[in-house]
Amino acid sequence: MIKRSDFPKGFLFGTATAAYQIEGAVAEDGRGPSIWDAFSHTPGKTFNGDTGDVACDHYHRYKEDVQIMREIGFNAYRFSISWPRVMPDGKKINQKGVDFYNRLVDELLENDITPFITLYHWDLPLALDEKGGWLNPDIAMYFRAYATFMFTELGDRVKHWITLNEPWCSAFLGYFTGEHAPGHKNLQEALIAAHNLLRAHGHAVQAFREEVKDGKVGLTNVVMKVEPGDARPESFLTAGLVDKLVNAWFHDPVVFGRYPEEAVKVYRERGLRVLEDDFEIISTPIDFFGVNYYTRTLVVYDPTNPLGFSYVPGDLPKTEMGWEIYPQGLFDMLVYLKERYRLPLYITENGMAGPDKLINGKVEDDYRIEYIEKHLEKVLEAINAGVDVRGYFIWSLMDNFEWAHGYSKRFGIVYVDYSTQKRIWKKSAHWLKEFLKS
Ligand SMILES: OC[C@@H]1[C@@H](O)[C@H](O)[C@@H](O)c2nc(CNc3ccccc3)cn21
């Protein structure tokens, strides 16, 4: 059984959330609509027609939620700022919205919890989407202005910042598969959005260097361990290619100032345009990568598929999301990222959706305790293998709005009874409290 003291001194143990998934109060104190407000209110887009209108009502209950983090013993908390709450039209400042984040940051600091802020966790102001959103190259300058303002407003107290959460999801789920807002289904658009997301990231890093001299800034990507789903040699090659299409596509430009050549070829061979501008800005040096790790992805060679591969389900035990539980993949990807990019790493998300049932006031989520413990063991193994991992954030503090799945998936270590907004510690929260004392 691993102990907290096995980890390096100063290692951060935290939990993570995102604005649209927990805040609610979507029209309070001047907040403007985001693309997720529009998307979730569009019939058929989310499970049961669920929306983030109320969510966990964190906007009003943030003090209670900070107390829960303090009692569990976390020393860090990753959360995101709702761009449309602080700039309802994407540009004009709404001071009441800004003041919520001032209050939240002060509450965290008073409880010795280090804030990690994500500037963009998918809730683009709808007004900017109406100007083309991530398809409009101007978006990079709107994002730079938003980032600059937040750095000046909170940078005196917040020294750890993440520009974007998972640009792969924003681009490919938002513009190719259409599962996420704004719900487009166009691969060329996904490539354009991906490039503008990376440009926006680079501009924000440049602004950060001007505004927060003593801070650290990074980018959080979803990191998938891609493996062949059958024994054919062509599937082995396909896995290597998909790794470039998903992982390297959002890491290489930021460090090397270019897209991975093998992946560019896949798109160009299919007549798609790959953008090449602004790599100087995109590769403005960063201080760390955030790693969101959940599972592995199995792919097989499939010439009938537009990109030459298809996903296959694995045979390992799965979570409620249908994702295989595969801690080894975390170790593998931490070593891979260290070898390829040589940057400090924070695991900014790791966790599972479980069949969490409230029975006699308790949620016995032993499966989640095992998931966390097994993944922490792999983090420790990676650190002992020389990987510079500096923190681990559990997704998530509490059950929340799980995007297209609505409230049907529970990732929290704290159960939320949405009918009463009562927070109920799951067994995993009690386990973590003991672990963090060990
Ligand atoms: O789904 C759980 C969380 C989600 O609530 C967070 O907002 C988001 O940052 C997040 N990213 C992942 C991993 N992304 C992923 C994307 C495609 C396939 C498998 C995993 C999981 N999660």
Side-chain angles (χ1 to χ4, degrees), residues 21 121-122 165-166 168-169 222 224 292 294 323 349 395 402-403 411:
Q21 297 182 265
H121 201 125
W122 307 353
N165 179 73
E166 298 186 349
W168 182 86
C169 288
V222 55
M224 296 186 196
N292 286 1
Y294 288 86
W323 299 345
E349 284 178 33
W395 185 271
E402 180 50 39
W403 308 111
F411 275 88

Coordinates of all heavy atoms in Angstrom, one line a residue, residues 21 121-122 165-166 168-169 222 224 292 294 323 349 395 402-403 411, ligand 1:
Q21 N -19.2 22.6 -15.7 CA -19.6 21.3 -15.1 C -20.1 21.5 -13.7 O -20.8 20.6 -13.2 CB -18.5 20.3 -15.2 CG -18.1 20.0 -16.6 CD -17.0 19.0 -16.7 OE1 -15.8 19.3 -16.8 NE2 -17.4 17.7 -16.7
H121 N -11.9 25.8 -20.6 CA -12.3 24.4 -20.5 C -13.7 24.3 -21.2 O -14.7 23.9 -20.6 CB -12.4 24.0 -19.0 CG -12.4 22.5 -18.8 ND1 -11.5 21.9 -17.9 CD2 -13.1 21.5 -19.3 CE1 -11.7 20.6 -17.9 NE2 -12.7 20.3 -18.8
W122 N -13.6 24.6 -22.5 CA -14.6 24.4 -23.5 C -15.9 25.3 -23.6 O -16.7 25.2 -24.5 CB -15.2 22.9 -23.4 CG -14.1 21.9 -23.4 CD1 -12.8 22.1 -23.6 CD2 -14.3 20.5 -23.1 NE1 -12.1 20.9 -23.5 CE2 -13.0 19.9 -23.2 CE3 -15.3 19.7 -22.8 CZ2 -12.7 18.5 -23.0 CZ3 -15.1 18.3 -22.6 CH2 -13.8 17.7 -22.7
N165 N -7.7 23.4 -21.9 CA -7.9 22.0 -21.5 C -8.3 21.2 -22.8 O -9.3 21.4 -23.4 CB -9.1 21.9 -20.5 CG -9.4 20.4 -20.2 OD1 -8.6 19.8 -19.4 ND2 -10.4 19.8 -20.7
E166 N -7.4 20.2 -23.1 CA -7.6 19.3 -24.2 C -8.1 19.9 -25.5 O -9.2 19.6 -26.0 CB -8.6 18.2 -23.7 CG -8.2 17.4 -22.5 CD -9.1 16.3 -22.1 OE1 -10.2 16.3 -22.6 OE2 -8.7 15.5 -21.3
W168 N -7.6 18.8 -28.3 CA -8.0 17.7 -29.1 C -9.5 17.6 -29.0 O -10.2 17.5 -30.1 CB -7.4 16.4 -28.8 CG -7.8 15.3 -29.7 CD1 -7.2 15.0 -30.9 CD2 -8.9 14.4 -29.5 NE1 -7.9 13.9 -31.5 CE2 -8.9 13.5 -30.6 CE3 -9.8 14.2 -28.5 CZ2 -9.9 12.5 -30.8 CZ3 -10.8 13.2 -28.6 CH2 -10.8 12.4 -29.8
C169 N -10.1 17.6 -27.8 CA -11.5 17.5 -27.6 C -12.2 18.7 -28.2 O -13.2 18.5 -29.0 CB -11.9 17.4 -26.2 SG -11.4 15.8 -25.4
V222 N -5.3 15.7 -23.5 CA -5.7 14.3 -23.2 C -4.6 13.5 -23.7 O -4.1 13.7 -24.8 CB -7.1 14.0 -23.8 CG1 -7.1 14.2 -25.3 CG2 -7.4 12.5 -23.5
M224 N -3.6 9.7 -24.6 CA -4.1 8.3 -24.7 C -3.0 7.4 -25.0 O -2.1 7.6 -25.9 CB -5.1 8.3 -25.9 CG -6.3 9.2 -25.6 SD -7.5 8.9 -27.0 CE -8.5 10.3 -26.8
N292 N -3.9 14.6 -18.9 CA -5.2 14.0 -18.5 C -5.2 12.6 -19.0 O -5.3 12.3 -20.2 CB -6.4 14.8 -19.2 CG -6.6 16.2 -18.6 OD1 -5.9 16.5 -17.6 ND2 -7.6 16.9 -19.1
Y294 N -6.8 8.7 -18.7 CA -7.9 7.9 -18.2 C -7.8 6.4 -18.6 O -8.3 5.5 -17.8 CB -9.3 8.5 -18.7 CG -9.7 9.7 -18.0 CD1 -9.2 11.0 -18.5 CD2 -10.5 9.7 -16.9 CE1 -9.5 12.2 -17.8 CE2 -10.8 10.9 -16.2 CZ -10.4 12.1 -16.7 OH -10.7 13.3 -16.1
W323 N -14.5 2.9 -20.7 CA -13.1 3.0 -20.8 C -12.4 1.9 -20.0 O -12.7 1.7 -18.8 CB -12.6 4.4 -20.3 CG -13.2 5.5 -21.1 CD1 -13.9 5.5 -22.3 CD2 -13.3 6.9 -20.7 NE1 -14.3 6.7 -22.7 CE2 -13.9 7.6 -21.7 CE3 -12.8 7.6 -19.6 CZ2 -14.1 9.0 -21.6 CZ3 -13.0 9.0 -19.5 CH2 -13.6 9.7 -20.5
E349 N -5.6 15.5 -14.7 CA -6.9 14.7 -14.5 C -6.6 13.2 -14.6 O -5.9 12.7 -15.4 CB -7.9 15.0 -15.6 CG -8.6 16.3 -15.5 CD -9.6 16.5 -16.6 OE1 -10.2 15.6 -17.2 OE2 -9.8 17.7 -17.1
W395 N -9.8 13.6 -11.0 CA -11.1 14.1 -11.6 C -12.2 13.2 -11.1 O -12.2 12.0 -11.4 CB -11.1 14.0 -13.2 CG -12.3 14.5 -13.7 CD1 -13.5 13.9 -13.9 CD2 -12.5 15.9 -14.0 NE1 -14.4 14.8 -14.3 CE2 -13.9 16.1 -14.4 CE3 -11.8 17.1 -14.0 CZ2 -14.5 17.3 -14.7 CZ3 -12.3 18.3 -14.3 CH2 -13.7 18.4 -14.7
E402 N -21.4 15.9 -16.9 CA -20.5 15.2 -17.7 C -20.8 15.3 -19.2 O -21.0 14.4 -19.9 CB -20.4 13.7 -17.3 CG -19.5 12.8 -18.1 CD -18.1 13.4 -18.2 OE1 -17.6 14.0 -17.2 OE2 -17.5 13.3 -19.3
W403 N -20.8 16.6 -19.6 CA -20.9 17.0 -21.0 C -22.1 16.3 -21.7 O -23.2 16.3 -21.1 CB -19.6 16.8 -21.8 CG -18.5 17.5 -21.0 CD1 -17.4 16.9 -20.4 CD2 -18.3 18.9 -20.9 NE1 -16.7 17.9 -19.8 CE2 -17.2 19.1 -20.1 CE3 -19.1 20.1 -21.3 CZ2 -16.7 20.4 -19.8 CZ3 -18.6 21.3 -21.0 CH2 -17.5 21.5 -20.2
F411 N -18.2 11.0 -11.6 CA -16.8 10.9 -11.5 C -16.3 11.4 -10.1 O -15.1 11.3 -9.8 CB -16.1 11.8 -12.5 CG -15.9 11.1 -13.9 CD1 -16.9 11.2 -14.8 CD2 -14.7 10.5 -14.2 CE1 -16.8 10.7 -16.1 CE2 -14.6 9.9 -15.5 CZ -15.6 10.0 -16.4
Ligands
LIG1 O1 -14.9 12.5 -18.9 C1 -14.4 12.9 -17.7 C2 -13.5 14.2 -17.9 C3 -14.4 15.4 -18.3 O2 -15.4 15.6 -17.3 C4 -13.4 16.6 -18.3 O3 -14.1 17.9 -18.4 C5 -12.5 16.5 -19.4 O4 -11.3 17.3 -19.2 C6 -12.1 15.1 -19.7 N1 -11.2 14.6 -20.6 C7 -11.2 13.3 -20.5 C8 -10.4 12.4 -21.4 N2 -10.8 12.6 -22.7 C9 -11.2 11.6 -23.6 C10 -11.6 12.0 -24.8 C11 -11.9 11.0 -25.8 C12 -11.8 9.7 -25.4 C13 -11.4 9.3 -24.1 C14 -11.1 10.3 -23.2 C15 -12.1 12.9 -19.5 N3 -12.6 14.0 -19.0

